[in-house]
Amino acid sequence: MMKFNRILLKLSGESLMGAQKYGIDVTRVESYARQIKEIAEMGIQIGIVIGGGNIFRGLSGTNKGFDRVKGDSMGMLATVINSLALSSALDNENCRNKVLTAIRMEPIGEFYSKAKAIEYLENGYVTIFSAGTGNPYFTTDAMLKGTRVDGIYTADPEKDPTATKFEKITYDEIYNKGLKVMDLTATTMCKENHLPIVVFNMDVEGNLKKLMEGQQIGTIVY
């Protein structure tokens, strides 16, 4: 039995790099497109938010001397590039999709509106939300977070082999333990709206479908 009818999936920009140090790994994007098509065919409405860290991250740019607002604008444009890459991969899988942008930039994508987004979701289109909120000082973190690791750990498991995994963790514990899971603003918004987050490994094909079927995958934040 499916656990969800509609999801918002966050894909980090870094996850699109695959084994590369920057940019977009076509094989990785194709894998994501196959997984997304698989659950779209189950009748699940899918909204997708993609980060831009594989191309440019606004906050890190600020640390290197970029103006914060211009740096965040560059990061938002990076998410548009990634969104178009995923859209193209979905096209190749014959999976209907739409790219909506928070900043007006037709014909690259359609300008976002809530009514339009809901209409596309209800009509079976995978709907990709790009350019973040269209405003600086906000990140693109969301509710189902597909990453390169299989959940939340006490430390970065790619750097600390002694790190242990949480099966479940509260928003307050994330804050109190200083875990770098999500932007604090995004964490607070999810907490205030009682929206659980599942952090899981999107790089393992089949994980997204297992999650939709209600299997215990990754870490639940509540």
Side-chain angles (χ1 to χ4, degrees):
M1 183 176 295
M2 290 187 299
K3 188 175 181 181
F4 305 99
N5 293 316
R6 176 186 291 171
I7 66 167
L8 180 59
L9 173 65
K10 161 68 189 293
L11 298 174
S12 67
E14 289 87 344
S15 67
L16 299 183
M17 294 189 298
Q20 303 174 169
K21 294 183 178 180
Y22 62 89
I24 299 171
D25 184 331
V26 174
T27 301
R28 177 58 48 77
V29 176
E30 290 174 343
S31 171
Y32 286 178
R34 287 193 297 271
Q35 294 189 69
I36 292 165
K37 178 186 178 182
E38 186 175 40
I39 67 167
E41 291 177 340
M42 297 166 64
I44 296 171
Q45 297 177 20
I46 307 167
I48 299 177
V49 177
I50 306 180
N54 56 319
I55 299 172
F56 188 87
R57 183 181 294 278
L59 190 57
S60 63
T62 302
N63 295 332
K64 297 177 182 178
F66 282 89
D67 172 80
R68 175 65 192 268
V69 173
K70 290 182 179 178
D72 281 356
S73 295
M74 293 168 69
M76 284 185 272
L77 292 176
T79 73
V80 176
I81 293 173
N82 288 337
S83 295
L84 294 175
L86 179 61
S87 175
S88 179
L90 288 169
D91 287 340
N92 291 338
E93 293 291 331
N94 295 314
C95 182
R96 298 189 304 163
N97 68 91
K98 294 287 185 179
V99 175
L100 302 182
T101 64
I103 302 171
R104 191 176 293 279
M105 55 178 71
E106 296 94 342
I108 290 174
E110 297 185 47
F111 187 55
Y112 170 86
S113 76
K114 178 183 176 181
K116 186 179 295 183
I118 292 175
E119 178 184 352
Y120 285 142
L121 289 168
E122 292 182 342
N123 281 283
Y125 286 88
V126 174
T127 307
I128 305 171
F129 305 107
S130 63
T133 64
N135 300 294
Y137 300 101
F138 283 88
T139 74
T140 53
D141 283 318
M143 287 175 284
L144 287 187
K145 189 167 184 179
T147 70
R148 296 182 294 181
V149 294
D150 62 343
I152 300 172
Y153 285 74
T154 53
D156 186 345
E158 295 181 343
K159 299 177 180 178
D160 184 353
T162 66
T164 57
K165 178 184 171 183
F166 295 99
E167 297 297 329
K168 295 182 178 181
I169 189 170
T170 67
Y171 291 108
D172 288 340
E173 286 177 309
I174 286 177
Y175 177 76
N176 293 332
K177 295 178 184 293
L179 300 176
K180 305 297 183 182
V181 178
M182 292 175 59
D183 171 80
L184 181 59
T185 302
T187 303
T188 302
M189 290 177 67
C190 288
K191 177 185 175 182
E192 289 179 348
N193 288 280
H194 307 288
L195 298 175
I197 302 168
V198 180
V199 180
F200 70 104
N201 189 343
M202 183 73 179
D203 292 354
V204 177
E205 287 212 30
N207 267 359
L208 184 57
K209 182 180 179 181
K210 290 178 181 178
L211 185 58
M212 295 303 99
E213 292 173 336
Q215 296 188 40
Q216 177 64 51
I217 299 291
T219 300
I220 298 174
V221 184
Y222 63 98

